[in-house]
Amino acid sequence: MLSLKEIASVTLTLFAVIDILGSIPIIIDLRKREGRIESEKATIVSGVLMIAFLFLGQSILKLFGIDYQSFAMAGAIVIFLIGLEMILGKNFFHTDPEVKSGSIVPLAFPIIVGAGTMTTLLSLRAAYSLPNVLIGVILNLIFVYIVLKSSSYIERKLGKDGADVLRKVFGVILLAIAIKLFKSNLPL
């Protein structure tokens, strides 16, 4: 049964977890480093990953014997390293020189669809009806696409200094999120 309240809850929850606005400095860095961002490809791959994990996530984790905490901690480490890249200006993730786009890795996965998004999808699936979760996913993908498409415009408006400040600030925020994820998933 479609429920606007559930759709709004799912959409806002995913919006906060995906944090595409907070990823703008990462997107700008990727575009500079890789040459371009393929907005359509990144959005479609993100959508496929989200929907596949929505339906198969629990089974996949069980198949490999991975619990939610371990999955979240692995995601925290990746987020931590991305935050360090942003703050220090060093590249820890070496890309294939043949590939001139970071649209799939690391943009679609793990930036847009990371461990946080995946575990959130599993939680939302348990709490809300499937059609409402799917609509929330689609609404977030539309917003992701708009932000990816307008990243050049956003960068021009920010300027080099504004982008540098934003990159450092969000790098620290990513480090804090990673540490919080890590701490909250430590076994007691």
Side-chain angles (χ1 to χ4, degrees):
M1 183 75 154
L2 291 180
S3 161
L4 289 178
K5 183 179 177 184
E6 283 192 10
I7 292 169
S9 292
V10 169
T11 302
L12 292 174
T13 302
L14 281 174
F15 180 78
V17 172
I18 293 170
D19 190 25
I20 192 66
L21 294 177
S23 298
I24 288 173
I26 301 168
I27 295 165
I28 291 170
D29 274 354
L30 275 173
R31 199 179 74 254
K32 284 181 180 176
R33 187 171 68 200
E34 305 295 337
R36 72 182 190 280
I37 295 291
E38 297 174 58
S39 307
E40 295 84 5
K41 184 189 259 183
T43 305
I44 290 168
V45 169
S46 297
V48 168
L49 287 172
M50 289 169 76
I51 291 169
F53 204 79
L54 184 64
F55 287 100
L56 304 172
Q58 221 165 10
S59 300
I60 292 170
L61 291 179
K62 281 183 188 174
L63 177 68
F64 291 107
I66 300 171
D67 57 75
Y68 290 125
Q69 290 79 17
S70 298
F71 191 72
M73 288 177 83
I77 292 169
V78 172
I79 291 169
F80 186 85
L81 291 173
I82 291 170
L84 281 179
E85 276 189 341
M86 292 172 69
I87 292 169
L88 302 175
K90 303 285 183 196
N91 293 329
F92 298 117
F93 298 101
H94 298 286
T95 57
D96 184 352
E98 300 293 315
V99 178
K100 292 295 179 199
S101 169
S103 300
I104 296 177
V105 176
L107 187 55
F109 179 81
I111 294 171
I112 296 170
V113 184
T117 303
M118 291 176 168
T119 52
T120 300
L121 284 168
L122 293 179
S123 300
L124 292 171
R125 172 92 192 257
Y128 300 106
S129 71
L130 185 59
N132 296 326
V133 176
L134 287 171
I135 292 170
V137 166
I138 291 166
L139 291 173
N140 272 279
L141 289 170
I142 291 168
F143 192 70
V144 162
Y145 176 76
I146 291 168
V147 170
L148 292 177
K149 261 311 201 199
S150 60
S151 65
S152 295
Y153 171 79
I154 294 168
E155 181 183 15
R156 281 193 307 275
K157 289 298 177 189
L158 286 174
K160 183 181 177 349
D161 291 337
D164 286 344
V165 168
L166 199 61
R167 184 178 308 106
K168 304 285 185 203
V169 168
F170 278 103
V172 171
I173 291 170
L174 279 180
L175 289 176
I177 290 170
I179 290 168
K180 180 182 177 193
L181 266 172
F182 197 79
K183 280 176 36 181
S184 66
N185 288 290
L186 281 174
L188 297 174

